[in-house]
DNA sequence: CGGATCGTTGAGTTGTATCAAGACGGGTGG
DNA sequence: CCACCCGTCTTGATACAACTCAACGATCCG
């Protein structure tokens, strides 16, 4: 899986061009983290950015009542705090959800590359725009009933995993607890549990041991009201092909 | 108000530099729209981008049940579909909420300028990152109880209006109906009405005739759990000062 | 074996939606 | 000038979705 990742970023960062900028090939050194570790904390000054190599990470925030709220999940190849390139202060935490390997790249390097290479800049900009699009969708989905909301989240994960080649048919890894799901959907753990049972009862999915299986994709999509346009998958692909 | 706006964008687009690129000064021609008009429709191909000169606009989407959901409000100086620069297909509608004047700029021009002027590119990129940050906050806020959610929205509007010099003390224009508020918060109109009454009863705000007055800023902020960091106002200011 | 984490269940409560109807106000046409 | 209409705001009553609290079962691991 490091391979598919590397393929994306070698193209993205156009490693041959880097030499002419006097920057050696960017070192992507994988660093291992256990589950539930902070990678970035709200309020941190952005000096480098995270690349998720494997595992599941998330963007979250702790509200004044002490409850954690997950605003996004990040899978292999995602750069969750790319925003730090142009915003000094980060306004959310980035944490691992499952075990993860990640890499860090200094923002100064990326910024330098972007200045000399508008195509790279555009590609990274596009990544942040897709993130924004997903947030926007979550705003809307957050207003739908619990069952639909949950279904939508599962659709999104499955579709994104598939897009990076990490779904095997309609089976993929989604290694988190029901508590994590409750923080991502804004539902209580108890309610998540019951709604998951309902999804299973309808024979739409099974979800055990961090493995998600969709038995009826059309049914799940219909229930969720899932329209994948907001993921801009075709355009994200540009970043890999260009 | 066109003046404060123009000041921002003349600096942003660095009009003197444009001449050397062989592009005449960008024409910002104000176009008038009545309330509740579409400026951009979901699925449109992005060819130009909108600048809000005056009035209130929003980003919204109609879900499969036919209900409109507002995901963001846009005030003077905002460029709500800047994302179209790098995403071909727009995944939301942009509409006027009150009467508005707006301008359009061709994406091709902006793209050309960005290629020659990394500082402009960074500034526009930053604008889209701040938008993303606001969406992310809305995801979180959407999970809080109705009263807090409403309070949070009002804090955000007041603070943003103030930041562009369009709040007079703790009074600002916020020209929308309770139906609009319900679409923005994901509450029923009836409930919005009652929660507004509650805010008034607590002597936190009054909201009549499209004019919002905050009587107790600290109280409202406390209730809302409003932490303005996510608006990145100081950094947005960069875009105006640079 | 004991403790921790995670998943599951039941019962009671609260928040918010829905439905229905009335009040107010501004605009339009007779 | 009045009558009417439409959009908006407001109120009351009822229904339902989701939350909380509390407890128990199942694993896993030390």
């Amino acid at each position: 899986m490091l391979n598919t990742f590397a393929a994306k970023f070698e193209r993205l960062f156009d490693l041959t061009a880097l030499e002419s900028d006097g920057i050696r090939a960017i070192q992507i050194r994988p660093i291992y983290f256990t589950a539930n570790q902070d990678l970035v904390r709200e309020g941190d000054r952005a000096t480098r950015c995270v690349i998720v190599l494997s595992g599941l990470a998330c963007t979250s925030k702790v509200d004044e009542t002490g409850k954690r709220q997950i605003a996004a999940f990040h899978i292999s190849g995602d750069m969750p705090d790319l925003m730090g390139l142009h915003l000094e202060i980060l306004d959310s935490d980035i944490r691992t959800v499952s075990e993860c390997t990640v890499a860090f790249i200094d923002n100064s390097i990326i910024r330098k590359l972007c200045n000399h290479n508008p195509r790279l800049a555009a590609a990274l900009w596009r990544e942040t725009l897709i993130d924004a699009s997903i947030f926007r969708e979550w705003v809307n989905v957050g207003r739908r009933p619990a069952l639909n909301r949950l279904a939508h989240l599962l659709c999104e994960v499955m579709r994104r995993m598939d897009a990076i080649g990490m779904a095997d048919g309609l089976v993929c890894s989604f290694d988190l607890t029901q508590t994590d799901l409750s923080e991502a959907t804004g539902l209580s753990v108890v309610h998540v549990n019951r709604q998951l049972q309902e999804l299973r009862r309808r024979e739409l999915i099974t979800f055990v041991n961090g493995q998600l299986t969709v038995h009826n994709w059309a049914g799940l999509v219909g229930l969720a009201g899932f329209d994948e346009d907001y993921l801009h998958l075709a355009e994200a692909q540009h970043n890999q092909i260009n």
Side-chain angles (χ1 to χ4, degrees), chain A residues 129-180:
Chain A
L129 291 171
I130 293 173
D131 290 342
S133 179
I134 296 177
F135 289 131
R136 202 165 39 237
E137 185 71 9
W138 279 43
V139 172
N140 290 330
V141 171
R143 293 160 185 178
R144 304 221 257 270
L147 192 65
N148 311 250
R149 211 185 301 179
L150 208 44
H152 194 281
L153 175 58
L154 299 180
C155 285
E156 177 180 310
V157 167
M158 182 59 77
R159 195 62 194 80
R160 287 172 63 200
M161 290 296 275
D162 182 62
I164 60 168
M166 293 190 59
D168 180 13
L170 286 168
V171 181
C172 77
S173 158
F174 189 38
D175 190 9
L176 40 53
T177 66
Q178 292 186 1
T179 304
D180 295 323

Side-chain angles (χ1 to χ4, degrees), chain A residues 111-122:
Chain A
R111 234 179 259 119
K112 193 167 179 179
L113 291 174
C114 284
N115 284 341
H116 292 71
N117 184 348
R119 269 201 12 244
L120 171 64

Side-chain angles (χ1 to χ4, degrees), chain A residues 145-147 150 182 187-197:
Chain A
L147 192 65
L150 208 44
S182 82
L187 301 167
S188 68
V189 195
V190 172
H191 206 55
V192 165
N193 182 286
R194 295 199 234 255
Q195 298 306 306
L196 278 176
Q197 289 178 46

Side-chain angles (χ1 to χ4, degrees), chain A residues 63-97:
Chain A
D63 70 15
E64 61 287 343
T65 75
K67 274 205 300 199
R68 178 171 299 281
Q69 320 222 44
I70 295 178
F73 285 115
H74 310 293
I75 62 179
S76 306
D78 286 349
M79 303 175 72
D81 62 343
L82 208 44
M83 53 176 314
L85 266 190
H86 294 294
L87 294 178
E88 279 193 27
I89 303 296
L90 298 166
D91 57 27
S92 302
D93 301 325
I94 316 264
R95 331 179 70 225
T96 61
V97 175

